[in-house]
Amino acid sequence: MKRDNLLAAFKTAALVAAVGGLCLVLLPNYWIFLVTAVFIIGMSLQSLGLVVGRSGMISLCQMSFAGVGAWTVGYLNLIGFPGGLIVWMLIGGLAALPFGLIIGIPALRLRGINLAIVTLGFAVAFGVVLGTITYPGQTTFQMVQRPAGFDSDRGYFILVLIVYGISAVALEVVSRSRLGASWLAVSHSERAAASLGVSVPLSKLSAFAISSFIAGVSGGLLAGYMGTLLADNFSMMQSLVLFAVAIMVGAQFPLGAILGGILVALFPELLRRLNLPQDLGSVIFGLGAVQALSTGETMSETFGRLIRKMMPKRPAAGGGDETALPAPRPDTGAPNALQASGITVRYGNVVALNNASLSVPKGKVVGLIGPNGAGKSTFVDAMTGYLPRYEGDVLFQGDNINALGVTQRARAGLRRTWQTTRMAPDLTVGQYVDLASGGGLTDAEIAAVLDWFDCPPAGELIAAVDSGARRLLDVAGVVAARPPVILLDEPAAGQSYAEAVMLGKRIAEIPQRFGSSVLLIEHDMDLVRTACSEVTVLDFGTVLAAGPTAEVLDMPVVKKAYMGIDFEHEEAAE
Amino acid sequence: MNSRKRATWFGLAAGAGLIAMSGTAFAAGPTCDGGTIKIGSVSTITGPVDFSAAPKAAAAYFDQLNEAGGINGCKIEYFMGDDRGDPLVATQTARDLIDNEKVVVMAGSASLLDCGVNAQLYQRSNVLDVPGLAVDPVCYTAPSVSGVAPGPYVLSTAMLYYASEELGNESICAFNYVIGGWKEAMEGAMAEWEQITGKKLTILDMTLPVQGDLTPYLIRARDEGCDAVFTNQVEPGIVQLINTADAQGIEGIDFVFLASGFTEGVATALKDSPQPIYVGTEWEPYTLENEANSGWRAMIEKAGITPSAFSQAGYLAGEVITSVISGIDGEVTNESVAQALRTMEPATFPIAAAPYLFGEGAMDGPMRATKVVKLDGGVWSVVTPDWLDLPSVN
Amino acid sequence: MDSLLTSAVAGLSAGGAYAILGVCVVFTFRLVAVVNFTATALGAIGAFVMVFLTEAGYPLVPAVLTGLVAGTLASVVVGFVTTIWFSGANQTVKAAVTAAILVCLIALGLRFTGGQHPRAFPDLVGGAGLRLAGVTITTASLVSIALAVILTVAVEQFLARTRTGLQLRALSERPMAAELLGVPVRPLALGVWAASGAMTTIALMLIAPLRSPDFGSLSLLVVPAFAAALVGMFQSFRAALAGGILIGVIEGLASGFVELAQYRSAVPFLVILTVLMWSQRGARWDEAR
């Protein structure tokens, strides 16, 4: 993983340097001037790609952030702030950052289209306000000073290239980090991300903050590029066009941002060369975007696919070594890992759980069984904090955690898996496990955990993993975190018999290998028999029986409740 | 001004002489390498507004000039750039014309934002700009740009002056909207009127919403007893304002607008309105068929261009630049044109009220006069047969 | 106080316009799950077709009807693109599609309607409706508000009580499942687009005379329409109706405060944001994922 990160960062840097070098060698001044704009717009697109492409939030005010950066640079230029454009630009980015946070706050409560329209409203209001503020220095003809040595067209191109390269490499590194993985996870499912201990608000705010910072810097670059600016540079329509371009090209990919920059910056030039009216650009852009979007993949994905086709396939990463499995975490000494007493949950008039109690002793795997609708998943939701309210107490390692939220419980070490997996398909298997484990694992340890559960190799994209393997991966991720308590919600559903038996054996070994206690919810009785030392039976929200597995499963009342309908049918048939 | 009439005659004579001269082979005069002089323009042709009438008229002017032999045998090659109302495209277009086409001067542009984004580029590359129609204030203050019109800021002061001094309105209200760096210039224009007349505006609202509904603003103007309402709105905004006033049944307010309202579109759209609508013009009102307009009218008729103030702008810019280039001795380059423009004597042209001078800041340049037209049943009629001169502050 | 009331009442004229457009936007979003950036641009096409005909000397009624047909057809074309080509796409992609089409439509519209040059929009229902606090509320404004109310009630009843309404709801919530159940997905979706196109066209014909009569400005009316829809989280017709009027009134009130200066335009936005942040204070998770 870590080596892959470095490699990817290096590849990005080399790509930018190569493209820039080629431009410098081949292009005359005028074209260098044009191509500079490609990279500046490319940077705005990168910033948008981060929010839209990675975090799944629609931002229609990206140019407003750039405007804040640009105007800040203008002021600093006017007052002759020391440090020159490079420093001003960074301050411009920092000035845009609070605006990103302000827009990020509604994102905590609003999603999808509602958030999009909030950002649109911001873009409109901001555009009007900015329109009334003359660009600093414009009335006195003070252009934004470029740094010494970078003041020519070629010089400024090199500066823009360097800044673009730094931001591209930084984004590449960040997006492969746990933070970047958390953006994808949150964008795919907030609940699932929270169950991994990811703080959803922090993830969203960080995405907006970093994005607005980059947009602010790109605005600063634009200020240096044009010398003076108008509010029209940052109007709502510009943001809207940028959004459409970002979706079209896939601005979250380094290649996509450059492609988008080329489309926006060079299309007018093409029309000039062909002697066509400029508004044709908007028309062709509109039609082209619709066409490109209708292919169902972004332009950079198309390019990437074509390039991969031509490249030889890399051999799959080798299996992990069992001895490399991460060591258990130190013990805290509480006798019961998890104790739930008197849990009652009501949905309106329906009582989903009625005074249910259960305990998960330390170092054990216990089962929770019951027919569909018995309240098993509701119980897991209550334990892990997903229910807005429940009665009763949840004691985690002896402490009452009723007051803690989902993320806090997950971080404390009360972890769960999902009946239907909710993993972000854009993550790699390795990234997912890294994110789920809470960090700190080496590549070898991750590979070992994956291997232990028979999961696909770390480099594989989750999108390419079948649903059975995703369940295993869900379990592997939780286990890799080695929390005190793991709640597994039907991990064997969809597995073959052999796989389920094998999984059962692995689950039984979890307490000893990883130091975690496990609550296993299953329908597969063989799996329960293999893995669980004790079992609790739920029926209609009430605990029917609890005790050692073999005894409980033989109780008639359990047989009737659990497979009751079948019995009655059989009796009736006889 | 008595001298104006003489100046007009002088201008006509000069123009005639110029065409005569251009055919003859005097040793002294402009020469050109390769047989053409390249002139560029950056206008908003597509996008939010269509100002193409100005550069098209300039192109027609140069066509006519070329047919008559060009300037001292040099043909003009004219480039019409389009900025789409987008600052980045405006910069690219100007760079393309300067770097690739090697234009020697910009003339006849009509853009929402060309001066604002490109004035410094023109300064740096020493390619000066003589726009036909200029909206943003940089056009009137930048040392590299000097338009051929009084401009919206001088005209704002003039129209307020007209409303208070000529129409005799006591209570004057101004509703302006501000975009793209207009704020200081617009405030300056309002302040100048207050200095000239010693009066105060009853309402000064500098932030009319560009897209919003105007009803609340008109109601406020009525309730505060405004006798005259001034706004710097352009065509659609003017139509919206008057329609709203009609819908509210407002009576007794003079509506005073800038030259952008002086179009056939506004006249047609508001032909049924009972409101008194006054518009200031930048040049001789284009609706007049008089001597001052004769040169321009002959050209547009020949070229099949619809009469409008825009086409006057392009024509006048063509005239100005032609007379300046004609005065050059030697090779026509961007340097020699810039030199000629910067050292030129004030030159008089029949269509304009005052002589043209490439000023360092034309905001206080010589062009400070307007003629006012009034809309009567869908037809513009001139209500000030003589130029209305805006007095200086002191 | 008096002048505040006057300012607020003066905002009603805009409020009526925003309300009906907001309801139209919610209609499209609820039923075909597309946030339609082109909504008002499509209506503007119809309105301009009408103007071209009246300017060419045709009588008003056939001109209005032709405009209506044009607006409806334009809407169906955009609907065709989004439903046929993008049936499986997510909301973000669909939003990007309509945003791209909007860029395209504005460019075309400005070109064919002569840029900023104003058109003489005829008053469909001219005249003063009633006078309140010294402000004339035009018949057109009253008709807009009335239409918005009728539309809200009619659509709510239609969705709740008719079989087609039920199918439409199924269509928007689970398009795949609806298709499997034999709901005629495409015809219904195109029908929704046609209906919303026709309604928006009528709304724009009513509104245009008192707005900046150029294609760009009319197309951008989609922004306050979205703002109105946002008040009801793009779900509630009533909230969109109320939201539209609220925005108009706030705009009117804000016009009275010169000291707000350029920040005036941000006031409706801030009010909506505050309302939303408060009403959504309990929202914790994204939809059931």
Side-chain angles (χ1 to χ4, degrees):
Chain A
M1 281 310 296
K2 274 78 190 176
R3 239 191 62 220
D4 279 4
N5 278 355
L6 278 179
L7 195 68
F10 179 75
K11 260 160 102 183
T12 309
L15 180 76
V16 172
V19 170
L22 273 180
C23 289
L24 278 173
V25 173
L26 295 177
L27 297 180
N29 257 352
Y30 174 70
W31 279 92
I32 287 289
F33 170 78
L34 288 181
V35 173
T36 309
V38 170
F39 286 95
I40 296 175
I41 293 165
M43 239 181 113
S44 321
L45 280 166
Q46 282 181 338
S47 75
L48 188 55
L50 197 161
V51 174
V52 179
R54 291 193 187 280
S55 309
M57 298 179 282
I58 305 180
S59 163
L60 300 176
C61 60
Q62 212 61 21
M63 290 311 282
S64 308
F65 299 145
V68 175
W71 251 245
T72 308
V73 166
Y75 279 116
L76 295 174
N77 175 57
L78 193 64
I79 61 172
F81 194 83
L85 182 61
I86 296 172
V87 172
W88 302 339
M89 210 158 67
L90 293 175
I91 299 178
L94 290 176
L97 201 142
F99 287 87
L101 288 177
I102 290 172
I103 287 299
I105 289 167
L108 304 184
R109 287 189 181 165
L110 301 175
R111 290 169 185 87
I113 196 54
N114 293 304
L115 175 64
I117 302 310
V118 167
T119 61
L120 182 77
F122 176 72
V124 172
F126 185 83
V128 173
V129 173
L130 200 63
T132 59
I133 307 173
T134 305
Y135 192 75
Q138 192 171 64
T139 44
T140 48
F141 310 108
Q142 280 168 278
M143 290 182 81
V144 173
Q145 290 296 313
R146 296 175 181 176
F150 295 111
D151 48 357
S152 66
D153 283 336
R154 280 173 187 273
Y156 199 67
F157 174 71
I158 293 172
L159 178 70
V160 168
L161 202 65
I162 292 171
V163 176
Y164 180 88
I166 292 173
S167 119
V169 168
L171 275 177
E172 189 66 36
V173 170
V174 169
S175 66
R176 282 164 181 270
S177 72
R178 296 187 55 246
L179 183 63
S182 82
W183 293 332
L184 287 174
V186 168
S187 124
H188 186 68
S189 165
E190 292 180 12
R191 288 162 203 263
S195 78
L196 303 178
V198 168
S199 161
V200 175
L202 215 61
S203 168
K204 286 182 168 183
L205 288 179
S206 65
F208 263 110
I210 295 176
S211 163
S212 58
F213 176 79
I214 296 173
V217 172
S218 80
L221 277 181
L222 191 65
Y225 179 66
M226 293 182 57
T228 185
L229 292 166
L230 293 172
D232 307 54
N233 285 93
F234 309 104
S235 67
M236 181 271 282
M237 279 311 275
Q238 301 269 11
S239 287
L240 207 55
V241 169
L242 201 71
F243 165 68
V245 171
I247 299 297
M248 183 163 100
V249 297
Q252 67 269 40
F253 307 109
L255 181 66
I258 295 185
L259 274 178
I262 290 173
L263 280 180
V264 175
L266 298 188
F267 214 83
E269 176 65 18
L270 181 70
L271 295 170
R272 268 195 296 277
R273 296 269 159 245
L274 299 176
N275 242 333
L276 292 170
Q278 286 291 335
D279 58 349
L280 200 62
S282 306
V283 177
I284 294 174
F285 162 76
L287 299 178
V290 171
Q291 205 284 325
L293 290 166
S294 71
T295 59
E297 60 180 3
T298 63
M299 285 166 81
S300 35
E301 283 168 333
T302 312
F303 272 85
R305 192 162 44 80
L306 293 177
I307 291 169
R308 266 200 303 281
K309 246 187 201 167
M310 289 184 287
M311 302 283 235
K313 204 171 163 60
R314 266 200 325 188
D321 179 1
E322 195 170 309
T323 56
L325 284 176
R329 295 190 193 269
D331 189 7
T332 52
N336 270 334
L338 180 71
Q339 172 117 36
S341 42
I343 304 292
T344 300
V345 176
R346 292 188 180 85
Y347 296 119
N349 290 330
V350 180
V351 180
L353 278 178
N354 185 12
N355 199 22
S357 299
L358 182 153
S359 73
V360 181
K362 187 157 56 178
K364 292 272 168 60
V365 177
V366 298
L368 177 61
I369 62 173
N372 282 330
K376 305 186 297 291
S377 292
T378 304
F379 184 79
V380 174
D381 283 347
M383 293 301 103
T384 44
Y386 281 88
L387 299 180
R389 66 186 67 82
Y390 59 83
E391 291 160 34
D393 291 309
V394 181
L395 298 179
F396 174 69
Q397 297 191 303
D399 297 326
N400 190 319
I401 55 166
N402 277 352
L404 298 188
V406 171
T407 307
Q408 288 165 306
R409 291 188 195 195
R411 286 191 176 169
L414 175 53
R415 298 284 298 267
R416 69 173 293 179
T417 64
W418 298 88
Q419 254 188 48
T420 46
T421 58
R422 296 155 185 245
M423 278 166 256
D426 295 334
L427 287 171
T428 64
V429 167
Q431 276 178 316
Y432 175 77
V433 174
D434 189 31
L435 178 68
S437 72
L441 293 190
T442 63
D443 286 358
E445 285 172 328
I446 289 175
V449 173
L450 287 171
D451 202 46
W452 202 67
F453 279 106
D454 245 358
C455 290
E460 190 107 9
L461 214 58
I462 289 180
V465 173
D466 65 75
S467 69
R470 282 190 203 193
R471 282 170 177 284
L472 294 178
L473 185 55
D474 199 358
V475 177
V478 178
V479 168
R482 291 155 291 141
V485 177
I486 296 175
L487 312 178
L488 297 176
D489 199 349
E490 299 192 19
Q495 311 280 356
S496 72
Y497 179 75
E499 283 168 342
V501 170
M502 148 82 182
L503 181 63
K505 282 188 189 146
R506 292 305 196 205
I507 290 173
E509 283 180 61
I510 288 176
Q512 171 236 328
R513 286 236 179 215
F514 300 96
S516 307
S517 318
V518 179
L519 177 70
L520 173 67
I521 295 175
E522 253 311 329
H523 279 304
D524 184 334
M525 285 308 130
D526 288 331
L527 182 59
V528 171
R529 276 183 225 274
T530 317
C532 304
S533 54
E534 289 172 27
V535 88
T536 301
V537 185
L538 267 183
D539 191 23
F540 293 113
T542 322
V543 173
L544 207 59
T549 309
E551 284 175 31
V552 170
L553 291 186
D554 272 344
M555 287 161 86
V557 60
V558 172
K559 283 186 163 171
K560 183 164 189 296
Y562 200 66
M563 290 160 269
I565 301 163
D566 286 343
F567 274 140
E568 279 164 18
H569 276 295
E570 279 165 31
E571 279 162 20
E574 283 163 19
Chain B
M1 262 210 160
N2 254 341
S3 63
R4 174 153 301 119
K5 199 147 201 178
R6 259 183 288 130
T8 307
W9 278 111
F10 176 77
L12 273 179
L18 189 129
I19 292 171
M21 254 169 63
S22 59
T24 61
F26 282 142
T31 59
C32 45
D33 200 19
T36 57
I37 298 170
K38 292 179 169 181
I39 298 178
S41 66
V42 177
S43 309
T44 310
I45 292 174
T46 61
V49 297
D50 174 8
F51 287 169
S52 64
K56 278 179 185 157
Y61 180 86
F62 293 127
D63 283 346
Q64 181 180 300
L65 189 70
N66 288 343
E67 273 173 38
I71 303 176
N72 201 19
C74 296
K75 294 281 166 63
I76 307 284
E77 195 180 344
Y78 187 63
F79 298 90
M80 279 203 295
D82 175 16
D83 63 28
R84 203 173 68 185
D86 182 329
L88 190 60
V89 180
T91 319
Q92 288 183 354
T93 310
R95 281 289 302 250
D96 179 37
L97 293 174
I98 294 170
D99 287 13
N100 300 336
E101 307 294 355
K102 309 260 187 274
V103 298
V104 297
V105 71
M106 310 289 284
S109 310
S111 164
L112 287 175
L113 39 73
D114 170 44
C115 306
V117 290
N118 288 331
Q120 289 157 349
L121 168 68
Y122 297 146
Q123 179 76 12
R124 207 170 52 219
S125 42
N126 206 21
V127 173
L128 298 189
D129 183 17
V130 181
L133 197 103
V135 180
D136 64 273
V138 176
C139 302
Y140 302 94
T141 52
S144 56
V145 186
S146 196
V148 297
Y153 309 98
V154 169
L155 204 56
S156 294
T157 317
M159 288 314 289
L160 287 175
Y161 180 80
Y162 176 76
S164 66
E165 308 306 308
E166 303 285 319
L167 293 176
N169 288 309
E170 279 301 311
S171 169
I172 299 191
C173 304
F175 294 90
N176 299 317
Y177 75 104
V178 167
I179 55 168
W182 299 359
K183 186 160 176 271
E184 289 83 357
M186 214 56 222
E187 281 168 350
M190 302 291 112
E192 193 181 353
W193 170 80
E194 294 188 341
Q195 282 172 343
I196 292 172
T197 59
K199 296 174 180 166
K200 275 255 169 284
L201 290 168
T202 310
I203 300 177
L204 173 58
D205 192 324
M206 292 295 289
T207 46
L208 206 60
V210 186
Q211 301 282 349
D213 182 49
L214 298 177
T215 313
Y217 297 88
L218 272 172
I219 295 292
R220 204 164 117 233
R222 184 198 64 192
D223 289 352
E224 302 223 1
C226 306
D227 301 321
V229 165
F230 167 83
T231 167
N232 66 339
Q233 295 261 50
V234 292
E235 280 177 86
I238 289 171
V239 172
Q240 181 190 5
L241 187 77
I242 297 298
N243 280 340
T244 309
D246 287 346
Q248 290 300 324
I250 282 172
E251 284 169 7
I253 294 183
D254 288 328
F255 287 93
V256 186
F257 301 118
L258 295 180
S260 50
F262 183 35
T263 66
E264 291 310 307
V266 169
T268 320
L270 298 179
K271 61 177 182 298
D272 299 325
S273 173
Q275 309 291 342
I277 300 164
Y278 299 91
V279 172
T281 71
E282 313 244 28
W283 306 286
E284 193 69 26
Y286 72 86
T287 45
L288 293 182
E289 302 210 14
N290 59 10
E291 231 166 57
N293 273 339
S294 58
W296 161 76
R297 199 165 278 281
M299 180 201 83
I300 60 162
E301 272 165 17
K302 189 159 163 256
I305 294 175
T306 331
S308 70
F310 280 89
S311 62
Q312 285 181 309
Y315 173 83
L316 183 55
E319 241 184 341
V320 165
I321 209 68
T322 305
S323 98
V324 168
I325 291 176
S326 304
I328 294 174
D329 266 342
E331 186 67 21
V332 176
T333 61
N334 58 325
E335 279 92 9
S336 66
V337 176
Q339 171 77 10
L341 273 169
R342 288 208 163 104
T343 56
M344 75 183 283
E345 293 294 318
T348 310
F349 302 91
I351 228 169
Y356 175 81
L357 180 66
F358 193 92
E360 289 295 306
M363 204 79 103
D364 38 35
M367 289 198 173
R368 288 172 65 83
T370 182
K371 284 189 179 181
V372 178
V373 292
K374 183 169 191 252
L375 189 59
D376 274 323
V379 179
W380 294 109
S381 59
V382 181
V383 289
T384 56
D386 291 323
W387 291 98
L388 172 76
D389 272 300
L390 181 62
S392 294
V393 177
N394 35 17
Chain C
M1 193 59 218
D2 244 16
S3 74
L4 270 187
L5 179 65
T6 305
S7 302
V9 174
L12 277 181
S13 137
Y18 303 155
I20 188 166
L21 291 176
V23 171
C24 290
V25 166
V26 173
F27 182 74
T28 318
F29 185 75
R30 278 273 310 263
L31 297 185
V32 286
V34 177
V35 52
N36 184 12
F37 277 91
T38 61
T40 48
L42 296 170
I45 291 177
F48 271 99
V49 166
M50 171 193 76
V51 167
F52 283 130
L53 291 177
T54 53
E55 281 183 355
Y58 290 91
L60 192 60
V61 174
V64 167
L65 292 177
T66 316
L68 202 56
V69 171
T72 309
L73 278 180
S75 183
V76 169
V77 170
V78 173
F80 188 82
V81 169
T82 51
T83 43
I84 307 302
W85 292 357
F86 296 93
S87 51
N90 64 23
Q91 255 181 34
T92 308
V93 170
K94 283 180 183 169
V97 170
T98 61
I101 299 177
L102 174 69
V103 172
C104 178
L105 280 183
I106 289 186
L108 285 173
L110 282 169
R111 168 159 284 238
F112 288 113
T113 60
Q116 80 283 20
H117 300 306
R119 297 279 162 186
F121 275 92
D123 260 330
L124 290 193
V125 280
L130 65 101
R131 231 175 136 74
L132 197 66
V135 182
T136 303
I137 300 171
T138 59
T139 318
S141 302
L142 290 178
V143 171
S144 315
I145 297 177
L147 270 182
V149 172
I150 293 170
L151 210 59
T152 301
V153 174
V155 172
E156 278 179 354
Q157 294 300 316
F158 171 70
L159 288 182
R161 310 223 163 174
T162 64
R163 190 179 148 70
T164 318
L166 192 68
Q167 288 184 330
L168 280 168
R169 271 156 60 202
L171 172 67
S172 69
E173 277 153 27
R174 294 277 166 82
M176 287 290 244
E179 192 154 16
L180 289 175
L181 287 172
V183 174
V185 171
R186 287 179 185 183
L188 270 182
L190 291 182
V192 168
W193 279 92
S196 77
M199 291 187 302
T200 320
T201 306
I202 295 173
L204 270 167
M205 285 175 179
L206 285 171
I207 297 161
L210 289 189
R211 307 295 300 198
S212 185
D214 62 297
F215 194 88
S217 301
L218 290 179
S219 299
L220 290 183
L221 276 175
V222 75
V223 174
F226 277 164
L230 187 59
V231 173
M233 299 282 285
F234 281 79
Q235 290 300 320
S236 158
F237 291 99
R238 293 170 194 209
L241 171 71
I245 293 174
L246 178 76
I247 294 168
V249 169
I250 294 173
E251 271 187 11
L253 282 174
S255 74
F257 295 95
V258 182
E259 35 312 340
L260 283 175
Q262 70 263 39
Y263 302 102
R264 207 146 49 185
S265 58
V267 173
F269 165 66
L270 289 176
V271 172
I272 291 172
L273 196 56
T274 317
V275 169
L276 277 182
M277 293 298 281
W278 185 78
S279 72
Q280 293 302 306
R281 67 196 179 285
R284 291 179 66 207
W285 304 110
D286 46 358
E287 291 136 36
R289 268 191 308 186

